[in-house]
Amino acid sequence: MPSFYRVAKRFPPGDDEYLTRRDKGRQPRPNATSEEVRTWNALSAFATEEGVRRAGRRYPEQLGRLIVRYDIPERSSLRWEPTFGPGHYSLWGDFQELKRYLVLDFQATI
């Protein structure tokens, strides 16, 4: 069962923390890479706690200061793939489903 880590502002993360850049009405920059455009409707996640901690330390005011984990069963309809470098993943699918995979007994801080 794969686990993914994300930065959150609160626990459990609010609905607004499951919005993609597209959901927020943002547009890709004119010189966006094909990978950026393809992941515009995905959520960002990391394969390790340390990876998400490094990312979270760069933008704590924007992203939050908590680390949450999702354990996604193989039978899930969500899909993911590595993007943007080692340890980073993009997640696609029904984010209401993703909420069900939040590990309730795991919380860490950046």
Side-chain angles (χ1 to χ4, degrees):
M1 175 180 310
S3 294
F4 294 102
Y5 298 84
R6 299 193 73 229
V7 177
K9 295 177 183 173
R10 57 193 168 274
F11 191 87
D15 288 343
D16 60 327
E17 296 183 77
Y18 292 93
L19 297 176
T20 67
R21 291 171 289 186
R22 179 175 287 153
D23 293 337
K24 293 175 183 176
R26 297 183 185 153
Q27 296 295 317
R29 40 194 184 97
N31 61 342
T33 66
S34 60
E35 186 173 48
E36 289 172 319
V37 172
R38 191 171 49 76
T39 61
W40 209 249
N41 63 338
L43 292 180
S44 179
F46 289 83
T48 66
E49 185 179 338
E50 188 51 41
V52 77
R53 183 172 280 118
R54 279 192 305 272
R57 285 180 181 150
R58 291 155 121 184
Y59 308 103
E61 299 305 318
Q62 180 184 3
L63 300 175
R65 298 180 183 277
L66 297 174
I67 296 172
V68 297
R69 186 179 92 210
Y70 299 87
D71 290 344
I72 303 177
E74 295 297 327
R75 70 183 181 338
S76 168
S77 68
L78 297 168
R79 64 182 185 87
W80 54 88
E81 67 180 65
T83 53
F84 304 114
H88 183 272
Y89 284 78
S90 292
L91 306 175
W92 290 270
D94 179 355
F95 298 130
Q96 292 300 317
E97 179 183 354
L98 179 62
K99 290 179 185 182
R100 294 194 307 259
Y101 306 137
L102 178 67
V103 177
L104 298 177
D105 63 352
F106 175 87
Q107 288 182 64
T109 58
I110 59 167

